């Protein structure tokens, strides 16, 4: 069974940092493109960041570029999202997702991803 288990969400003040982790089982992050999406209160789901299965390329939404960083540890089969300089508008449920197709041009589309984590809540206070 494929399972994506997220951790690291919580409450933080504006300007603070959090690191989300997504531990994959039943699939290898070496062979799947991995992405992070989020959905804030009253907002549509939006792409946050993605990393190719090779690990050689990363992608970011303009709203988080320069503040967030996606990475992975193949040995631990874990994908991370380091979030710095957090803003209240970053408040959202964050979801980890996995895509076996590995098509780079599609990493920003939620429909690309076959497997999803349960979501973890990030709340940023002002």
């Amino acid at each position: 069974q494929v399972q994506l288990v997220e951790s690291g969400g919580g409450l933080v003040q504006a300007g603070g940092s959090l690191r989300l982790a997504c531990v994959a089982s039943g699939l290898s992050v070496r062979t799947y493109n991995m992405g992070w999406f989020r959905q804030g209160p009253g907002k549509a789901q939006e792409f946050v960041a993605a990393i190719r299965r090779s690990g050689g390329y990363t992608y970011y939404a303009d709203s988080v570029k320069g503040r967030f960083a996606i990475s992975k540890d193949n040995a631990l089969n874990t994908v991370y999202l380091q979030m710095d300089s957090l803003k209240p508008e970053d408040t959202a449920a964050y979801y980890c997702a996995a895509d076996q197709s590995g098509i780079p041009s599609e990493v920003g589309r939620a429909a690309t991803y076959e497997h999803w984590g349960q979501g973890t809540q990030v709340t940023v206070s002002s």
Side-chain angles (χ1 to χ4, degrees), residues 12-36:
V12 65
Q13 291 187 330
S17 298
L18 287 172
R19 188 174 77 155
L20 306 184
C22 173
V23 179
S25 59
L27 63 82
S28 173
V29 301
R30 293 178 176 178
T31 57
Y32 283 70
N33 286 354
M34 304 296 295
W36 289 95

Side-chain angles (χ1 to χ4, degrees), residues 19 36 51 58 60 69-73 78-82:
R19 188 174 77 155
W36 289 95
I51 186 167
T58 57
Y60 299 95
I70 188 171
S71 63
K72 65 174 181 172
D73 188 325
T78 301
V79 179
Y80 304 95
L81 184 67
Q82 178 67 42

Side-chain angles (χ1 to χ4, degrees), residues 7-122:
S7 63
L11 176 65
V12 65
Q13 291 187 330
S17 298
L18 287 172
R19 188 174 77 155
L20 306 184
C22 173
V23 179
S25 59
L27 63 82
S28 173
V29 301
R30 293 178 176 178
T31 57
Y32 283 70
N33 286 354
M34 304 296 295
W36 289 95
F37 292 77
R38 68 185 182 186
Q39 187 166 20
K43 299 179 180 179
Q45 185 183 56
E46 64 176 340
F47 168 75
V48 177
I51 186 167
R52 287 196 201 175
R53 56 195 178 194
S54 67
Y57 294 88
T58 57
Y59 308 84
Y60 299 95
D62 288 342
S63 59
V64 307
K65 193 173 298 182
R67 300 188 298 119
F68 290 11
I70 188 171
S71 63
K72 65 174 181 172
D73 188 325
N74 289 336
L76 296 178
N77 213 29
T78 301
V79 179
Y80 304 95
L81 184 67
Q82 178 67 42
M83 304 184 294
D84 297 326
S85 301
L86 283 162
K87 304 175 180 179
E89 50 262 47
D90 295 318
T91 295
Y94 284 72
Y95 299 89
C96 175
D99 164 40
Q100 193 173 30
S101 73
I103 302 173
S105 62
E106 302 297 321
V107 297
R109 297 178 65 251
T112 298
Y113 296 83
E114 300 88 51
H115 307 288
W116 292 81
Q118 78 287 351
T120 186
Q121 180 67 37
V122 172

